[in-house]
Amino acid sequence: MDLAAVILAAGKGTRMNSKMPKVLHPVCGSPMLSYVIDAVTGAGVSKIVVVAGYGAELVSRVVEGKAELVIQEEQLGTAHALLQAGPCLKDFNGSLLVLCGDTPLIEAETLVRLVEKHRSAEVAATVLTAEIEDPTGYGRIIRDEQGKIFKIVEQKDASLAEELVQEVNTGIYCFNVNGLFDVLKQITDANAQGEYYLTDAISIYARCGQRVGSVAIKDPREFTGINDRVQMADAEQYLRGRVLEGLMRAGVTIVDPRSTFVDREALVGRDTVLRPFTIVEGNTVIGEDCIIGPGSRLADAIVGNGVVIQSSLVIDSFIGDNSVVGPFAYLRPGTKLGQGVKVGDFVEIKKSYIGDGSKVPHLSYVGDATVGKKVNIGAGTITCNYDGENKWPTIIGDGAFIGSNTNLVAPVEVGNEAVTGAGSTITKNIPSGALGIERSKQVMVKHWSIRKRKSKD
Ligand code: UD1
Ligand code: CA
């Protein structure tokens, strides 16, 4: 039987105090809405509809290719939100999961359990419920003497007795789509908040003799919605723990999980060690047998096997096998290191290719350069790639030796096996095998220090 999902995500999320819609705020590097989309996908849905409102344009970019988007122009309540998905589901006959976009901790298995119970019990609707210590703010589940749910009461509409009920509505449901939209149309906004409550669907079913079932959630944390940035930080911490645990079980050593941060989309190979104070962001991929950190940040980096990165920043760059980076290196976007490359301390590399076995060991800036194999770039070497208006390339051939403190004024080319004299400002191409040297002759002033001392007396 077919399964679809509607994710309600039209609210602004006022308590986030943000310009961005709540469901797009990232948790462990991914927007919270993506977690919900992944959970329903994992539960086996064949169709997902996201109801967006505030910031719908931004939301549409995140759901593109994964879900259909419908717009709820005015946020008149959860029932009204679900109604907007009606046209997308008119040819659909199966079970429908309904949940909110701000619950990134929800797991696919929980949804599967809800759907299975819903189907086996042959009911019209099944509510995922939770028994919690402090039910404040949630809709209360109200049952009759036989224990059957006959309504859900929102906090603001609850009587004193109803307020004491500790079984709450998680806001996650499974419905038979047949008949659901007719029920939704009967819902009114005659309540304390003047909203069209989706929860009223339950009492309508009960009144017309349709059966409503329930499934209790195992871990109440899964349904806690994120309403503000304090709750978001809590969720971040919890999800980070899940990500790190997954990596450790897959063979990654994480020396100190409390000071290690890995985004959900990142991949790390077996026997790689993540040392403390390391941050792995975005779509970073790290190979096997690497040592990353301490104190490194990698964002959207591709790292081969056997790489060592210490106290460095690597952004949108590629690092070949067995290369060594840092300490205190900065690889900026568009950098590609071949195999066995060494990039040492206080080196910045931008949009450059460094060939196999080459070394940039200390205090250099290499930008817009193509460097061959087995090149040595001496300490303090700078590519002068920018003339104030344009960026220009530098090309260095295989086996070249760049003397310390060379300025390479681009565009310029240094041939294979060519050498630059230390301290030279190179403005002309150096042919293969040649020495390019640019510096004035050294002058010797005899007895200079004795004369200086005497002049002070
Ligand atoms: C809702 C439930 C409550 C449940 C709680 C669980 C209702 C009436 N109440 O309350 O029983 O305990 O969730 O968290 O459903 N939304 C829209 N359009 C709207 C209104 C809401 O898309 O017009 C979306 C919001 O973006 C949000 C979700 O629906 O993601 C929940 O809406 P909210 O108003 O926060 O409902 P709660 O008061 O939390
Ligand atoms: Ca809420």
Side-chain angles (χ1 to χ4, degrees):
M1 219 203 298
D2 229 6
L3 182 65
V6 175
I7 301 172
L8 307 182
K12 177 171 191 247
T14 311
R15 282 169 285 173
M16 292 297 280
N17 196 0
S18 175
K19 295 181 284 297
M20 188 162 73
K22 174 164 79 172
V23 292
L24 296 190
H25 279 264
V27 180
C28 291
S30 303
M32 34 180 124
L33 179 59
S34 326
Y35 288 83
V36 181
I37 290 177
D38 288 356
V40 294
T41 305
V45 298
S46 55
K47 185 188 191 68
I48 305 172
V49 182
V50 172
V51 182
Y54 181 79
E57 172 59 33
L58 293 170
V59 175
S60 74
R61 282 184 226 163
V62 169
V63 307
E64 214 189 320
K66 297 179 191 162
E68 284 176 56
L69 193 83
V70 294
I71 312 281
Q72 184 193 23
E73 297 289 351
E74 259 188 296
Q75 280 78 68
L76 301 178
T78 43
H80 180 259
L82 181 54
L83 262 176
Q84 311 310 306
C88 293
L89 296 164
K90 63 180 189 306
D91 300 321
F92 179 81
N93 275 313
S95 319
L96 183 69
L97 278 169
V98 176
L99 65 177
C100 299
D102 61 356
T103 55
L105 307 188
I106 189 69
E107 302 230 32
E109 299 89 88
T110 303
L111 300 176
V112 167
R113 219 156 51 80
L114 172 64
V115 174
E116 280 173 356
K117 175 85 187 289
H118 174 78
R119 285 175 176 170
S120 64
E122 295 179 6
V123 290
T126 307
V127 185
L128 188 67
T129 66
E131 283 278 350
I132 52 175
E133 200 61 25
D134 177 12
T136 311
Y138 291 106
R140 310 295 204 281
I141 304 287
I142 310 299
R143 295 177 184 268
D144 63 17
E145 302 80 45
Q146 288 106 51
K148 284 204 206 107
I149 300 181
F150 72 93
K151 67 173 178 176
I152 299 175
V153 191
E154 292 308 295
Q155 165 100 21
K156 289 185 176 142
D157 303 285
S159 68
L160 284 175
E162 286 166 340
E163 264 192 57
L164 293 175
V165 173
Q166 283 174 305
E167 188 187 15
V168 300
N169 171 24
T170 61
I172 301 171
Y173 321 81
C174 188
F175 293 103
N176 289 345
V177 112
N178 282 338
L180 171 65
F181 288 91
D182 297 328
V183 168
L184 294 181
K185 283 175 197 147
Q186 296 173 41
I187 293 172
T188 70
D189 60 358
N191 53 55
Q193 302 186 83
E195 284 182 14
Y196 295 86
Y197 290 163
L198 176 55
T199 43
D200 284 354
I202 302 306
S203 47
I204 296 173
Y205 279 123
R207 237 185 290 135
C208 56
Q210 299 247 44
R211 292 166 59 215
V212 175
S214 69
V215 171
I217 201 163
K218 284 182 186 147
D219 181 356
R221 215 165 6 193
E222 272 187 53
F223 82 93
T224 38
I226 292 174
N227 292 315
D228 59 32
R229 299 189 200 229
V230 176
Q231 290 171 337
M232 190 163 76
D234 283 344
E236 169 98 23
Q237 195 177 12
Y238 175 75
L239 283 170
R240 186 190 310 144
R242 259 200 219 167
V243 169
L244 296 180
E245 190 184 324
L247 290 175
M248 290 187 274
R249 298 213 183 281
V252 177
T253 295
I254 296 174
V255 178
D256 178 19
R258 287 167 307 172
S259 69
T260 306
F261 304 80
V262 180
D263 277 354
R264 178 174 91 116
E265 300 284 344
L267 301 172
V268 185
R270 222 149 60 110
D271 291 316
T272 282
V273 179
L274 301 182
R275 297 174 74 190
F277 305 105
T278 289
I279 305 174
V280 180
E281 294 176 8
N283 295 308
T284 294
V285 178
I286 300 172
E288 299 192 352
D289 305 306
C290 295
I291 301 174
I292 312 293
S296 294
R297 177 172 165 238
L298 282 67
D300 299 314
I302 309 290
V303 176
N305 298 322
V307 170
V308 176
I309 301 175
Q310 221 189 124
S311 303
S312 292
L313 194 48
V314 178
I315 314 291
D316 197 7
S317 293
F318 176 97
I319 301 176
D321 294 348
N322 305 313
S323 292
V324 175
V325 174
F328 314 114
Y330 181 17
L331 304 191
R332 290 170 51 197
T335 293
K336 184 163 189 260
L337 308 184
Q339 300 194 358
V341 170
K342 178 185 165 86
V343 171
D345 47 285
F346 306 103
V347 171
E348 173 179 340
I349 301 190
K350 185 216 87 172
K351 206 177 173 186
S352 294
Y353 174 75
I354 313 282
D356 295 352
S358 290
K359 292 177 178 163
V360 194
H362 346 257
L363 301 156
S364 287
Y365 171 63
V366 178
D368 303 303
T370 305
V371 177
K373 294 179 180 145
K374 299 217 161 112
V375 171
N376 190 86
I377 296 188
T381 293
I382 303 291
T383 53
C384 311
N385 61 326
Y386 184 48
D387 61 10
E389 276 177 35
N390 295 300
K391 304 278 170 67
W392 298 100
T394 299
I395 297 170
I396 301 175
D398 293 348
F401 184 95
I402 308 299
S404 293
N405 212 25
T406 296
N407 297 312
L408 296 160
V409 182
V412 74
E413 216 174 311
V414 177
N416 292 345
E417 312 283 334
V419 175
T420 73
S424 298
T425 295
I426 302 297
T427 53
K428 298 191 185 88
N429 292 349
I430 304 175
S432 292
L435 165 70
I437 182 158
E438 183 281 332
R439 63 189 181 218
S440 43
K441 286 234 162 63
Q442 187 169 335
V443 174
M444 249 69 69
V445 181
K446 283 189 179 161
H447 310 306
W448 185 80
S449 50
I450 297 169
R451 282 175 16 209
K452 189 178 167 206
R453 218 177 299 141
K454 278 190 181 156
S455 74
K456 277 193 194 156
D457 296 340

